[in-house]
Amino acid sequence: LLLSIGFVAYRNSTEFIANSAQVLHSREVRGNLHRILSLVEEIETGQRGYIITGEDSFMEPYRQASNKIEERLTHVRTLVVNEPELHPQLDTLASLVRSRVAFAAESIELRRSKGFAAARDLIVSGKGQEEMDQIRTVIAEMRNTERIQLLEHSRKTSALAQSTMTVAQAGSGLAVFIALVIGTAYRWGL
């Protein structure tokens, strides 16, 4: 009986650790998706700042974010390698992000080579805003998928913690009972 209690406690602890790792994993994926969105927004900020002013100093957010975004996409891809349901969305997201970065580069080059009006006309076309909306939608969908997994793993982790505590309490109670029985039997000389 004590071996059974020990086995159940061990199994619950092992599952608890695995579920806790999944909770952390989901949080990491969600955080990295949020960071991708922030990087795309920084690219957009640098793009617009430069187009409006023509000042190269406004390009710094664009440059920094452009240098980091592919790395972040690759990192998310490695994080979700075992989540095939996210692969098509990640492929779509990567394509949209690359297109948005290319659009920003095109509009910046237009500002440099043909002036404000040409760059403004490209921005007014709405292509950049449409891509940003699509990026936000895909990221929201992916974060929601991870949120659902996060909630499920959190629920399982809580249930396992409760189950482990119940087994530990039952085992402790049983150990005290056995000690009393043995003590009583010894006292009576049985």
Side-chain angles (χ1 to χ4, degrees), residues 140-155:
E141 289 169 356
M142 292 177 76
R143 284 178 51 94
N144 189 51
T145 298
E146 284 295 327
R147 184 184 65 78
I148 291 167
Q149 290 177 10
L150 176 65
L151 292 173
E152 180 62 21
H153 290 302
S154 294
R155 186 195 59 76

Side-chain angles (χ1 to χ4, degrees), residues 42-57:
E42 288 172 29
I43 287 169
E44 186 176 52
T45 297
Q47 167 204 10
R48 291 197 176 169
Y50 177 76
I51 288 171
I52 291 168
T53 66
E55 297 291 325
D56 199 50
S57 62

